Short mmCIF file of all heavy atoms in Angstrom, two decimals:
data_model
loop_
_atom_site.label_atom_id
_atom_site.label_comp_id
_atom_site.label_asym_id
_atom_site.label_seq_id
_atom_site.Cartn_x
_atom_site.Cartn_y
_atom_site.Cartn_z
N ASN V 80 -34.40 -8.26 -30.89
CA ASN V 80 -33.74 -7.80 -29.67
C ASN V 80 -32.42 -8.55 -29.52
O ASN V 80 -32.00 -9.26 -30.44
CB ASN V 80 -34.65 -7.99 -28.45
CG ASN V 80 -35.12 -9.43 -28.30
OD1 ASN V 80 -34.39 -10.38 -28.59
ND2 ASN V 80 -36.36 -9.60 -27.86
N LEU V 81 -31.78 -8.38 -28.37
CA LEU V 81 -30.48 -9.01 -28.17
C LEU V 81 -30.56 -10.54 -28.09
O LEU V 81 -29.55 -11.22 -28.19
CB LEU V 81 -29.81 -8.45 -26.91
CG LEU V 81 -29.26 -7.03 -27.04
CD1 LEU V 81 -28.91 -6.46 -25.68
CD2 LEU V 81 -28.04 -7.01 -27.96
N ALA V 82 -31.76 -11.08 -27.92
CA ALA V 82 -31.93 -12.53 -27.93
C ALA V 82 -31.92 -13.08 -29.35
O ALA V 82 -31.45 -14.21 -29.60
CB ALA V 82 -33.22 -12.92 -27.22
N GLY V 83 -32.42 -12.31 -30.30
CA GLY V 83 -32.44 -12.72 -31.69
C GLY V 83 -32.86 -11.56 -32.57
O GLY V 83 -33.82 -10.86 -32.25
N THR V 93 -28.20 -14.39 -33.26
CA THR V 93 -28.95 -15.09 -32.22
C THR V 93 -28.08 -15.22 -30.98
O THR V 93 -26.89 -15.56 -31.08
CB THR V 93 -29.35 -16.51 -32.69
OG1 THR V 93 -30.02 -16.42 -33.94
CG2 THR V 93 -30.25 -17.18 -31.66
N ASP V 94 -28.65 -14.95 -29.84
CA ASP V 94 -27.95 -15.19 -28.59
C ASP V 94 -27.72 -16.70 -28.46
O ASP V 94 -28.68 -17.46 -28.39
CB ASP V 94 -28.79 -14.68 -27.42
CG ASP V 94 -28.09 -14.83 -26.07
OD1 ASP V 94 -27.14 -15.63 -25.97
OD2 ASP V 94 -28.52 -14.17 -25.11
N PRO V 95 -26.46 -17.14 -28.42
CA PRO V 95 -26.22 -18.59 -28.37
C PRO V 95 -26.75 -19.25 -27.10
O PRO V 95 -27.07 -20.44 -27.12
CB PRO V 95 -24.68 -18.70 -28.46
CG PRO V 95 -24.17 -17.34 -28.12
CD PRO V 95 -25.21 -16.37 -28.53
N LEU V 96 -26.88 -18.50 -26.02
CA LEU V 96 -27.46 -19.07 -24.80
C LEU V 96 -28.94 -19.34 -25.00
O LEU V 96 -29.46 -20.35 -24.51
CB LEU V 96 -27.24 -18.13 -23.61
CG LEU V 96 -27.79 -18.61 -22.26
CD1 LEU V 96 -27.24 -19.99 -21.90
CD2 LEU V 96 -27.48 -17.61 -21.17
N VAL V 97 -29.63 -18.47 -25.71
CA VAL V 97 -31.03 -18.69 -26.03
C VAL V 97 -31.17 -19.93 -26.92
O VAL V 97 -32.05 -20.78 -26.72
CB VAL V 97 -31.63 -17.47 -26.73
CG1 VAL V 97 -33.02 -17.77 -27.30
CG2 VAL V 97 -31.72 -16.28 -25.77
N LEU V 98 -30.28 -20.05 -27.91
CA LEU V 98 -30.31 -21.22 -28.79
C LEU V 98 -30.07 -22.50 -28.00
O LEU V 98 -30.77 -23.51 -28.21
CB LEU V 98 -29.24 -21.07 -29.87
CG LEU V 98 -29.20 -22.22 -30.90
CD1 LEU V 98 -30.31 -22.03 -31.93
CD2 LEU V 98 -27.85 -22.28 -31.60
N LEU V 99 -29.12 -22.47 -27.09
CA LEU V 99 -28.82 -23.65 -26.28
C LEU V 99 -30.02 -24.06 -25.43
O LEU V 99 -30.35 -25.25 -25.32
CB LEU V 99 -27.60 -23.37 -25.39
CG LEU V 99 -27.09 -24.52 -24.51
CD1 LEU V 99 -26.73 -25.72 -25.36
CD2 LEU V 99 -25.90 -24.05 -23.69
N GLN V 100 -30.69 -23.08 -24.84
CA GLN V 100 -31.88 -23.38 -24.06
C GLN V 100 -32.97 -23.99 -24.94
O GLN V 100 -33.69 -24.91 -24.52
CB GLN V 100 -32.42 -22.12 -23.39
CG GLN V 100 -31.54 -21.57 -22.29
CD GLN V 100 -32.08 -20.25 -21.78
OE1 GLN V 100 -32.97 -20.22 -20.93
NE2 GLN V 100 -31.57 -19.15 -22.30
N SER V 101 -33.11 -23.45 -26.14
CA SER V 101 -34.11 -23.97 -27.07
C SER V 101 -33.84 -25.43 -27.42
O SER V 101 -34.76 -26.25 -27.48
CB SER V 101 -34.13 -23.11 -28.34
OG SER V 101 -35.07 -23.61 -29.27
N ILE V 102 -32.56 -25.76 -27.60
CA ILE V 102 -32.19 -27.13 -27.96
C ILE V 102 -32.46 -28.09 -26.80
O ILE V 102 -33.05 -29.16 -27.00
CB ILE V 102 -30.71 -27.19 -28.39
CG1 ILE V 102 -30.53 -26.45 -29.73
CG2 ILE V 102 -30.24 -28.64 -28.53
CD1 ILE V 102 -29.09 -26.30 -30.15
N VAL V 103 -32.05 -27.69 -25.57
CA VAL V 103 -32.28 -28.59 -24.44
C VAL V 103 -33.76 -28.69 -24.10
O VAL V 103 -34.21 -29.67 -23.49
CB VAL V 103 -31.48 -28.15 -23.19
CG1 VAL V 103 -29.99 -28.16 -23.47
CG2 VAL V 103 -31.93 -26.81 -22.66
N ALA V 104 -34.55 -27.68 -24.53
CA ALA V 104 -36.00 -27.72 -24.33
C ALA V 104 -36.70 -28.52 -25.43
O ALA V 104 -37.92 -28.58 -25.49
CB ALA V 104 -36.56 -26.30 -24.28
N ARG V 105 -35.88 -29.10 -26.34
CA ARG V 105 -36.37 -29.96 -27.43
C ARG V 105 -37.17 -29.19 -28.48
O ARG V 105 -38.11 -29.72 -29.07
CB ARG V 105 -37.20 -31.12 -26.85
CG ARG V 105 -36.41 -32.01 -25.90
CD ARG V 105 -37.26 -33.06 -25.23
NE ARG V 105 -38.33 -32.48 -24.40
CZ ARG V 105 -38.12 -31.95 -23.19
NH1 ARG V 105 -36.92 -31.94 -22.66
NH2 ARG V 105 -39.12 -31.44 -22.49
N HIS V 106 -36.78 -27.93 -28.71
CA HIS V 106 -37.34 -27.15 -29.81
C HIS V 106 -36.21 -26.86 -30.78
O HIS V 106 -35.40 -25.95 -30.56
CB HIS V 106 -37.94 -25.83 -29.29
CG HIS V 106 -39.05 -26.01 -28.30
ND1 HIS V 106 -40.22 -26.65 -28.61
CD2 HIS V 106 -39.15 -25.65 -26.99
CE1 HIS V 106 -41.01 -26.66 -27.55
NE2 HIS V 106 -40.38 -26.07 -26.55
N TRP V 107 -36.13 -27.66 -31.84
CA TRP V 107 -35.00 -27.50 -32.76
C TRP V 107 -35.17 -26.21 -33.56
O TRP V 107 -36.19 -26.00 -34.20
CB TRP V 107 -34.90 -28.69 -33.70
CG TRP V 107 -33.60 -28.66 -34.45
CD1 TRP V 107 -33.42 -28.36 -35.76
CD2 TRP V 107 -32.30 -28.90 -33.91
NE1 TRP V 107 -32.09 -28.40 -36.08
CE2 TRP V 107 -31.37 -28.73 -34.96
CE3 TRP V 107 -31.82 -29.23 -32.64
CZ2 TRP V 107 -30.00 -28.89 -34.79
CZ3 TRP V 107 -30.45 -29.39 -32.47
CH2 TRP V 107 -29.56 -29.22 -33.53
N PRO V 108 -34.18 -25.31 -33.52
CA PRO V 108 -34.31 -24.00 -34.16
C PRO V 108 -34.15 -24.09 -35.68
O PRO V 108 -33.61 -25.07 -36.22
CB PRO V 108 -33.16 -23.20 -33.55
CG PRO V 108 -32.14 -24.24 -33.20
CD PRO V 108 -32.91 -25.46 -32.79
N ALA V 112 -31.48 -19.26 -37.29
CA ALA V 112 -31.15 -19.05 -35.88
C ALA V 112 -29.81 -19.70 -35.54
O ALA V 112 -29.00 -19.14 -34.79
CB ALA V 112 -32.25 -19.61 -35.00
N MET V 171 -28.47 -24.43 -13.79
CA MET V 171 -29.85 -24.55 -13.34
C MET V 171 -30.83 -24.10 -14.41
O MET V 171 -31.87 -24.74 -14.63
CB MET V 171 -30.06 -23.75 -12.06
CG MET V 171 -31.44 -23.91 -11.43
SD MET V 171 -31.64 -22.87 -9.96
CE MET V 171 -30.33 -23.56 -8.93
N LEU V 172 -30.52 -22.98 -15.10
CA LEU V 172 -31.48 -22.50 -16.09
C LEU V 172 -31.57 -23.46 -17.28
O LEU V 172 -32.64 -23.60 -17.90
CB LEU V 172 -31.15 -21.08 -16.54
CG LEU V 172 -29.96 -20.80 -17.46
CD1 LEU V 172 -30.37 -20.90 -18.93
CD2 LEU V 172 -29.43 -19.38 -17.21
N LEU V 173 -30.47 -24.16 -17.59
CA LEU V 173 -30.53 -25.16 -18.65
C LEU V 173 -31.36 -26.36 -18.21
O LEU V 173 -32.13 -26.92 -19.00
CB LEU V 173 -29.12 -25.61 -19.04
CG LEU V 173 -28.24 -24.56 -19.71
CD1 LEU V 173 -26.83 -25.09 -19.94
CD2 LEU V 173 -28.85 -24.09 -21.03
N ILE V 174 -31.22 -26.74 -16.94
CA ILE V 174 -32.03 -27.85 -16.41
C ILE V 174 -33.51 -27.48 -16.40
O ILE V 174 -34.37 -28.29 -16.79
CB ILE V 174 -31.55 -28.21 -14.99
CG1 ILE V 174 -30.16 -28.83 -15.04
CG2 ILE V 174 -32.53 -29.17 -14.31
CD1 ILE V 174 -29.52 -29.02 -13.68
N VAL V 175 -33.83 -26.25 -15.99
CA VAL V 175 -35.23 -25.81 -15.97
C VAL V 175 -35.79 -25.76 -17.39
O VAL V 175 -36.94 -26.14 -17.63
CB VAL V 175 -35.34 -24.43 -15.29
CG1 VAL V 175 -36.75 -23.86 -15.44
CG2 VAL V 175 -34.97 -24.54 -13.82
N SER V 176 -34.99 -25.29 -18.35
CA SER V 176 -35.44 -25.26 -19.74
C SER V 176 -35.75 -26.67 -20.23
O SER V 176 -36.76 -26.91 -20.92
CB SER V 176 -34.36 -24.62 -20.63
OG SER V 176 -34.24 -23.24 -20.37
N ALA V 177 -34.86 -27.62 -19.89
CA ALA V 177 -35.08 -29.00 -20.30
C ALA V 177 -36.32 -29.59 -19.65
O ALA V 177 -37.09 -30.32 -20.28
CB ALA V 177 -33.84 -29.84 -19.97
N ALA V 178 -36.54 -29.26 -18.38
CA ALA V 178 -37.67 -29.83 -17.64
C ALA V 178 -39.00 -29.24 -18.06
O ALA V 178 -40.02 -29.94 -18.06
CB ALA V 178 -37.45 -29.62 -16.14
N THR V 179 -39.00 -27.97 -18.43
CA THR V 179 -40.26 -27.29 -18.74
C THR V 179 -40.53 -27.17 -20.24
O THR V 179 -41.64 -26.80 -20.63
CB THR V 179 -40.27 -25.88 -18.13
OG1 THR V 179 -39.20 -25.10 -18.71
CG2 THR V 179 -40.09 -25.94 -16.62
N GLY V 180 -39.52 -27.45 -21.05
CA GLY V 180 -39.70 -27.31 -22.49
C GLY V 180 -39.81 -25.86 -22.94
O GLY V 180 -40.43 -25.57 -23.96
N THR V 181 -39.20 -24.96 -22.16
CA THR V 181 -39.26 -23.52 -22.49
C THR V 181 -37.86 -22.93 -22.47
O THR V 181 -36.92 -23.51 -21.92
CB THR V 181 -40.12 -22.75 -21.47
OG1 THR V 181 -39.48 -22.82 -20.17
CG2 THR V 181 -41.51 -23.33 -21.38
N VAL V 182 -37.73 -21.75 -23.08
CA VAL V 182 -36.50 -20.97 -22.96
C VAL V 182 -36.64 -20.20 -21.65
O VAL V 182 -37.03 -19.03 -21.63
CB VAL V 182 -36.31 -20.05 -24.17
CG1 VAL V 182 -35.00 -19.27 -24.06
CG2 VAL V 182 -36.32 -20.85 -25.46
N ALA V 183 -36.32 -20.86 -20.56
CA ALA V 183 -36.71 -20.40 -19.22
C ALA V 183 -36.16 -19.02 -18.88
O ALA V 183 -36.86 -18.20 -18.28
CB ALA V 183 -36.25 -21.42 -18.18
N TRP V 184 -34.93 -18.74 -19.26
CA TRP V 184 -34.30 -17.49 -18.84
C TRP V 184 -35.02 -16.27 -19.40
O TRP V 184 -35.05 -15.22 -18.77
CB TRP V 184 -32.84 -17.49 -19.28
CG TRP V 184 -32.07 -16.25 -18.94
CD1 TRP V 184 -31.46 -15.39 -19.81
CD2 TRP V 184 -31.84 -15.71 -17.62
NE1 TRP V 184 -30.85 -14.37 -19.14
CE2 TRP V 184 -31.07 -14.53 -17.79
CE3 TRP V 184 -32.20 -16.10 -16.35
CZ2 TRP V 184 -30.67 -13.76 -16.71
CZ3 TRP V 184 -31.80 -15.33 -15.27
CH2 TRP V 184 -31.04 -14.17 -15.46
N GLU V 185 -35.63 -16.41 -20.56
CA GLU V 185 -36.28 -15.26 -21.19
C GLU V 185 -37.52 -14.79 -20.42
O GLU V 185 -38.01 -13.69 -20.65
CB GLU V 185 -36.66 -15.58 -22.64
CG GLU V 185 -35.46 -15.62 -23.57
CD GLU V 185 -34.59 -14.37 -23.46
OE1 GLU V 185 -35.07 -13.28 -23.83
OE2 GLU V 185 -33.43 -14.48 -22.99
N PHE V 186 -38.01 -15.59 -19.49
CA PHE V 186 -39.13 -15.15 -18.66
C PHE V 186 -38.70 -14.14 -17.60
O PHE V 186 -39.52 -13.36 -17.12
CB PHE V 186 -39.79 -16.36 -17.98
CG PHE V 186 -40.58 -17.22 -18.92
CD1 PHE V 186 -40.10 -18.45 -19.32
CD2 PHE V 186 -41.82 -16.80 -19.40
CE1 PHE V 186 -40.82 -19.26 -20.19
CE2 PHE V 186 -42.56 -17.61 -20.27
CZ PHE V 186 -42.04 -18.83 -20.67
N VAL V 187 -37.42 -14.18 -17.25
CA VAL V 187 -36.93 -13.28 -16.19
C VAL V 187 -35.68 -12.51 -16.60
O VAL V 187 -35.07 -11.84 -15.78
CB VAL V 187 -36.63 -14.09 -14.90
CG1 VAL V 187 -37.90 -14.64 -14.30
CG2 VAL V 187 -35.62 -15.21 -15.18
N ASN V 188 -35.29 -12.61 -17.86
CA ASN V 188 -34.06 -11.97 -18.33
C ASN V 188 -34.19 -10.45 -18.23
O ASN V 188 -34.97 -9.83 -18.96
CB ASN V 188 -33.79 -12.37 -19.78
CG ASN V 188 -32.45 -11.88 -20.29
OD1 ASN V 188 -31.77 -11.08 -19.64
ND2 ASN V 188 -32.06 -12.34 -21.46
N THR V 191 -33.64 -8.48 -21.66
CA THR V 191 -34.79 -8.48 -22.55
C THR V 191 -35.91 -7.60 -22.01
O THR V 191 -36.55 -6.85 -22.76
CB THR V 191 -35.31 -9.92 -22.73
OG1 THR V 191 -34.27 -10.74 -23.25
CG2 THR V 191 -36.51 -9.96 -23.67
N MET V 192 -36.14 -7.66 -20.70
CA MET V 192 -37.22 -6.86 -20.10
C MET V 192 -36.93 -5.38 -20.20
O MET V 192 -37.84 -4.57 -20.44
CB MET V 192 -37.43 -7.28 -18.64
CG MET V 192 -38.08 -8.62 -18.48
SD MET V 192 -38.68 -8.88 -16.80
CE MET V 192 -39.57 -10.43 -17.00
N ARG V 195 -37.51 -4.42 -23.90
CA ARG V 195 -38.94 -4.48 -24.21
C ARG V 195 -39.67 -3.33 -23.52
O ARG V 195 -40.58 -2.72 -24.08
CB ARG V 195 -39.50 -5.82 -23.75
CG ARG V 195 -40.96 -6.06 -24.14
CD ARG V 195 -41.43 -7.38 -23.58
NE ARG V 195 -40.64 -8.49 -24.10
CZ ARG V 195 -40.26 -9.54 -23.39
NH1 ARG V 195 -40.59 -9.63 -22.12
NH2 ARG V 195 -39.56 -10.50 -23.95
N VAL V 230 -25.72 -15.12 -17.80
CA VAL V 230 -25.29 -14.68 -19.14
C VAL V 230 -23.79 -14.36 -19.12
O VAL V 230 -23.04 -14.76 -20.02
CB VAL V 230 -26.10 -13.46 -19.60
CG1 VAL V 230 -25.61 -12.98 -20.97
CG2 VAL V 230 -27.58 -13.79 -19.65
#
Side-chain angles (χ1 to χ4, degrees):
N80 55 36
L81 286 167
T93 307
D94 183 342
L96 180 55
V97 170
L98 182 79
L99 183 58
Q100 291 175 84
S101 178
I102 291 172
V103 300
R105 300 174 298 282
H106 299 298
W107 191 253
M171 185 183 299
L172 74 88
L173 293 175
I174 292 171
V175 172
S176 291
T179 62
T181 64
V182 182
W184 179 240
E185 287 308 294
F186 288 105
V187 293
N188 187 350
T191 302
M192 288 195 173
R195 186 183 299 141
V230 178

